[in-house]
Short mmCIF file of all heavy atoms in Angstrom, two decimals:
data_model
loop_
_atom_site.label_atom_id
_atom_site.label_comp_id
_atom_site.label_asym_id
_atom_site.label_seq_id
_atom_site.Cartn_x
_atom_site.Cartn_y
_atom_site.Cartn_z
N ASP A 61 71.16 141.33 96.61
CA ASP A 61 72.57 141.61 96.38
C ASP A 61 72.87 141.87 94.91
O ASP A 61 73.55 141.06 94.28
CB ASP A 61 73.39 140.42 96.91
CG ASP A 61 74.87 140.71 97.01
OD1 ASP A 61 75.25 141.89 97.01
OD2 ASP A 61 75.65 139.75 97.10
N PRO A 62 72.42 143.03 94.36
CA PRO A 62 71.64 144.07 95.02
C PRO A 62 70.15 143.85 94.83
O PRO A 62 69.73 143.07 93.97
CB PRO A 62 72.09 145.34 94.29
CG PRO A 62 72.29 144.86 92.87
CD PRO A 62 72.85 143.46 93.00
N ILE A 63 69.34 144.57 95.60
CA ILE A 63 67.91 144.59 95.37
C ILE A 63 67.66 145.24 94.02
O ILE A 63 68.35 146.18 93.62
CB ILE A 63 67.18 145.35 96.50
CG1 ILE A 63 65.66 145.19 96.35
CG2 ILE A 63 67.61 146.80 96.59
CD1 ILE A 63 64.89 145.66 97.56
N HIS A 64 66.69 144.71 93.26
CA HIS A 64 66.41 145.25 91.93
C HIS A 64 64.90 145.46 91.77
O HIS A 64 64.10 145.14 92.67
CB HIS A 64 66.99 144.35 90.84
CG HIS A 64 66.55 142.92 90.92
ND1 HIS A 64 65.26 142.51 90.72
CD2 HIS A 64 67.27 141.78 91.16
CE1 HIS A 64 65.17 141.20 90.82
NE2 HIS A 64 66.38 140.73 91.10
N LEU A 65 64.52 145.99 90.61
CA LEU A 65 63.12 146.33 90.39
C LEU A 65 62.23 145.10 90.37
O LEU A 65 61.05 145.18 90.70
CB LEU A 65 62.98 147.14 89.09
CG LEU A 65 63.65 148.52 89.12
CD1 LEU A 65 63.47 149.24 87.79
CD2 LEU A 65 63.08 149.37 90.25
N GLY A 66 62.78 143.94 89.98
CA GLY A 66 61.99 142.72 90.01
C GLY A 66 61.54 142.38 91.42
O GLY A 66 60.41 141.92 91.63
N HIS A 67 62.41 142.60 92.40
CA HIS A 67 62.03 142.37 93.80
C HIS A 67 60.87 143.29 94.20
O HIS A 67 59.92 142.87 94.85
CB HIS A 67 63.21 142.64 94.73
CG HIS A 67 64.34 141.68 94.59
ND1 HIS A 67 65.65 142.09 94.44
CD2 HIS A 67 64.37 140.32 94.59
CE1 HIS A 67 66.43 141.03 94.36
NE2 HIS A 67 65.69 139.94 94.44
N LEU A 68 60.98 144.56 93.82
CA LEU A 68 59.97 145.54 94.23
C LEU A 68 58.63 145.26 93.55
O LEU A 68 57.57 145.34 94.19
CB LEU A 68 60.45 146.95 93.89
CG LEU A 68 61.74 147.39 94.58
CD1 LEU A 68 62.16 148.77 94.08
CD2 LEU A 68 61.58 147.38 96.10
N VAL A 69 58.67 144.91 92.26
CA VAL A 69 57.43 144.59 91.55
C VAL A 69 56.78 143.34 92.16
O VAL A 69 55.56 143.28 92.33
CB VAL A 69 57.72 144.39 90.05
CG1 VAL A 69 56.47 143.86 89.33
CG2 VAL A 69 58.15 145.70 89.41
N THR A 70 57.60 142.35 92.49
CA THR A 70 57.07 141.13 93.11
C THR A 70 56.39 141.44 94.43
O THR A 70 55.28 140.96 94.70
CB THR A 70 58.21 140.12 93.35
OG1 THR A 70 58.79 139.75 92.09
CG2 THR A 70 57.71 138.88 94.07
N ALA A 71 57.03 142.24 95.26
CA ALA A 71 56.46 142.57 96.56
C ALA A 71 55.14 143.34 96.41
O ALA A 71 54.17 143.07 97.12
CB ALA A 71 57.45 143.40 97.37
N GLU A 72 55.10 144.26 95.48
CA GLU A 72 53.88 145.04 95.29
C GLU A 72 52.77 144.19 94.71
O GLU A 72 51.59 144.33 95.09
CB GLU A 72 54.17 146.25 94.39
CG GLU A 72 52.96 147.12 94.10
CD GLU A 72 52.30 147.71 95.35
OE1 GLU A 72 52.97 147.78 96.41
OE2 GLU A 72 51.13 148.10 95.26
N GLN A 73 53.11 143.29 93.78
CA GLN A 73 52.08 142.42 93.22
C GLN A 73 51.54 141.47 94.29
O GLN A 73 50.34 141.22 94.36
CB GLN A 73 52.62 141.62 92.04
CG GLN A 73 51.54 140.76 91.37
CD GLN A 73 52.00 140.16 90.07
OE1 GLN A 73 52.77 140.76 89.32
NE2 GLN A 73 51.52 138.96 89.77
N ALA A 74 52.43 140.95 95.13
CA ALA A 74 51.98 140.09 96.22
C ALA A 74 51.08 140.87 97.17
O ALA A 74 50.05 140.34 97.64
CB ALA A 74 53.19 139.52 96.96
N ARG A 75 51.46 142.11 97.47
CA ARG A 75 50.64 142.93 98.36
C ARG A 75 49.23 143.09 97.80
O ARG A 75 48.23 142.94 98.52
CB ARG A 75 51.28 144.30 98.56
CG ARG A 75 50.59 145.17 99.60
CD ARG A 75 50.93 146.64 99.42
NE ARG A 75 50.46 147.13 98.13
CZ ARG A 75 49.18 147.43 97.86
NH1 ARG A 75 48.25 147.25 98.79
NH2 ARG A 75 48.84 147.88 96.67
N ALA A 76 49.15 143.39 96.50
CA ALA A 76 47.85 143.62 95.87
C ALA A 76 47.06 142.33 95.71
O ALA A 76 45.87 142.25 96.06
CB ALA A 76 48.05 144.30 94.52
N ASP A 77 47.70 141.29 95.18
CA ASP A 77 46.98 140.05 94.88
C ASP A 77 46.56 139.29 96.13
O ASP A 77 45.51 138.63 96.15
CB ASP A 77 47.86 139.13 94.02
CG ASP A 77 48.04 139.65 92.60
OD1 ASP A 77 47.52 140.74 92.29
OD2 ASP A 77 48.72 138.97 91.80
N LEU A 78 47.37 139.36 97.19
CA LEU A 78 47.08 138.61 98.41
C LEU A 78 46.42 139.47 99.49
O LEU A 78 46.11 138.99 100.57
CB LEU A 78 48.37 138.00 98.98
CG LEU A 78 49.13 137.05 98.05
CD1 LEU A 78 50.45 136.65 98.66
CD2 LEU A 78 48.28 135.83 97.73
N GLY A 79 46.22 140.75 99.19
CA GLY A 79 45.60 141.64 100.16
C GLY A 79 46.44 141.84 101.41
O GLY A 79 45.91 141.89 102.53
N LEU A 80 47.75 141.99 101.23
CA LEU A 80 48.64 142.12 102.37
C LEU A 80 48.60 143.53 102.95
O LEU A 80 48.51 144.51 102.22
CB LEU A 80 50.08 141.78 101.96
CG LEU A 80 50.30 140.41 101.33
CD1 LEU A 80 51.76 140.24 100.96
CD2 LEU A 80 49.84 139.30 102.28
N ASP A 81 48.69 143.61 104.26
CA ASP A 81 48.76 144.91 104.92
C ASP A 81 50.17 145.47 104.90
O ASP A 81 50.36 146.69 104.95
CB ASP A 81 48.29 144.77 106.38
CG ASP A 81 46.84 144.35 106.47
OD1 ASP A 81 45.97 145.17 106.13
OD2 ASP A 81 46.58 143.20 106.87
N GLU A 82 51.15 144.59 104.86
CA GLU A 82 52.56 145.01 104.92
C GLU A 82 53.41 143.93 104.26
O GLU A 82 53.09 142.74 104.31
CB GLU A 82 53.00 145.19 106.37
CG GLU A 82 54.45 145.61 106.56
CD GLU A 82 54.86 145.70 108.03
OE1 GLU A 82 54.05 145.28 108.89
OE2 GLU A 82 55.98 146.17 108.30
N VAL A 83 54.49 144.37 103.62
CA VAL A 83 55.50 143.44 103.11
C VAL A 83 56.82 143.78 103.80
O VAL A 83 57.31 144.90 103.68
CB VAL A 83 55.66 143.52 101.59
CG1 VAL A 83 56.77 142.56 101.13
CG2 VAL A 83 54.35 143.16 100.89
N VAL A 84 57.35 142.82 104.54
CA VAL A 84 58.61 143.01 105.25
C VAL A 84 59.73 142.37 104.43
O VAL A 84 59.72 141.16 104.20
CB VAL A 84 58.57 142.37 106.65
CG1 VAL A 84 59.90 142.60 107.37
CG2 VAL A 84 57.40 142.92 107.46
N PHE A 85 60.67 143.18 103.99
CA PHE A 85 61.83 142.66 103.26
C PHE A 85 62.81 142.11 104.30
O PHE A 85 63.17 142.80 105.25
CB PHE A 85 62.48 143.76 102.43
CG PHE A 85 61.72 144.09 101.18
CD1 PHE A 85 60.50 144.77 101.25
CD2 PHE A 85 62.19 143.73 99.93
CE1 PHE A 85 59.78 145.07 100.10
CE2 PHE A 85 61.50 144.03 98.78
CZ PHE A 85 60.28 144.70 98.85
N MET A 86 63.25 140.88 104.08
CA MET A 86 64.09 140.18 105.05
C MET A 86 65.42 139.79 104.37
O MET A 86 65.58 138.67 103.89
CB MET A 86 63.37 138.92 105.54
CG MET A 86 64.07 138.19 106.67
SD MET A 86 63.86 139.01 108.27
CE MET A 86 62.08 138.82 108.56
N PRO A 87 66.39 140.72 104.31
CA PRO A 87 67.68 140.37 103.72
C PRO A 87 68.32 139.22 104.50
O PRO A 87 68.35 139.23 105.73
CB PRO A 87 68.50 141.66 103.86
CG PRO A 87 67.49 142.76 104.01
CD PRO A 87 66.35 142.14 104.75
N ALA A 88 68.83 138.23 103.77
CA ALA A 88 69.44 137.07 104.40
C ALA A 88 70.75 137.44 105.06
O ALA A 88 71.49 138.30 104.56
CB ALA A 88 69.66 135.97 103.36
N GLY A 89 71.05 136.80 106.16
CA GLY A 89 72.32 137.02 106.85
C GLY A 89 73.43 136.23 106.20
O GLY A 89 74.08 136.68 105.26
N SER A 90 73.63 135.00 106.65
CA SER A 90 74.61 134.08 106.05
C SER A 90 73.84 132.86 105.58
O SER A 90 73.79 131.83 106.26
CB SER A 90 75.67 133.67 107.08
OG SER A 90 76.38 134.79 107.54
N PRO A 91 73.21 132.95 104.39
CA PRO A 91 72.37 131.83 103.92
C PRO A 91 73.21 130.58 103.70
O PRO A 91 74.20 130.61 102.99
CB PRO A 91 71.78 132.36 102.61
CG PRO A 91 72.65 133.49 102.19
CD PRO A 91 73.24 134.06 103.44
N TRP A 92 72.80 129.48 104.31
CA TRP A 92 73.63 128.28 104.33
C TRP A 92 73.73 127.61 102.97
O TRP A 92 74.68 126.86 102.72
CB TRP A 92 73.09 127.29 105.37
CG TRP A 92 71.75 126.70 105.05
CD1 TRP A 92 70.54 127.26 105.26
CD2 TRP A 92 71.50 125.41 104.49
NE1 TRP A 92 69.53 126.42 104.85
CE2 TRP A 92 70.10 125.27 104.38
CE3 TRP A 92 72.32 124.35 104.07
CZ2 TRP A 92 69.50 124.12 103.86
CZ3 TRP A 92 71.72 123.21 103.55
CH2 TRP A 92 70.33 123.10 103.45
N GLN A 93 72.78 127.86 102.05
CA GLN A 93 72.84 127.21 100.75
C GLN A 93 73.56 128.05 99.69
O GLN A 93 73.72 127.60 98.57
CB GLN A 93 71.42 126.88 100.26
CG GLN A 93 70.81 125.70 101.00
CD GLN A 93 69.52 125.24 100.36
OE1 GLN A 93 68.74 126.05 99.84
NE2 GLN A 93 69.26 123.95 100.38
N LYS A 94 73.98 129.27 100.02
CA LYS A 94 74.69 130.09 99.05
C LYS A 94 76.14 129.61 98.92
O LYS A 94 76.84 129.45 99.92
CB LYS A 94 74.67 131.56 99.47
CG LYS A 94 73.35 132.27 99.20
CD LYS A 94 73.14 132.49 97.71
CE LYS A 94 71.86 133.28 97.47
NZ LYS A 94 71.57 133.46 96.03
N THR A 95 76.58 129.40 97.66
CA THR A 95 77.95 128.95 97.44
C THR A 95 78.89 130.11 97.16
O THR A 95 80.10 129.96 97.28
CB THR A 95 78.01 127.97 96.26
OG1 THR A 95 77.46 128.61 95.08
CG2 THR A 95 77.20 126.71 96.57
#
């Protein structure tokens, strides 16, 4: 809210470092801890 380049870099680094086949972005619906 909004998605930014830090999110994308994190996902790509996780994909590379952990050998992931896919990264699924899961936008939160109504997160209960958000104030």
Side-chain angles (χ1 to χ4, degrees):
D61 193 18
I63 189 168
H64 55 66
L65 294 179
H67 293 130
L68 299 176
V69 172
T70 298
E72 179 59 20
Q73 184 170 326
R75 187 200 63 77
D77 290 1
L78 302 174
L80 304 179
D81 297 290
E82 179 183 8
V83 177
V84 181
F85 284 72
M86 187 77 66
S90 299
W92 67 278
Q93 286 190 325
K94 283 289 184 183
T95 57

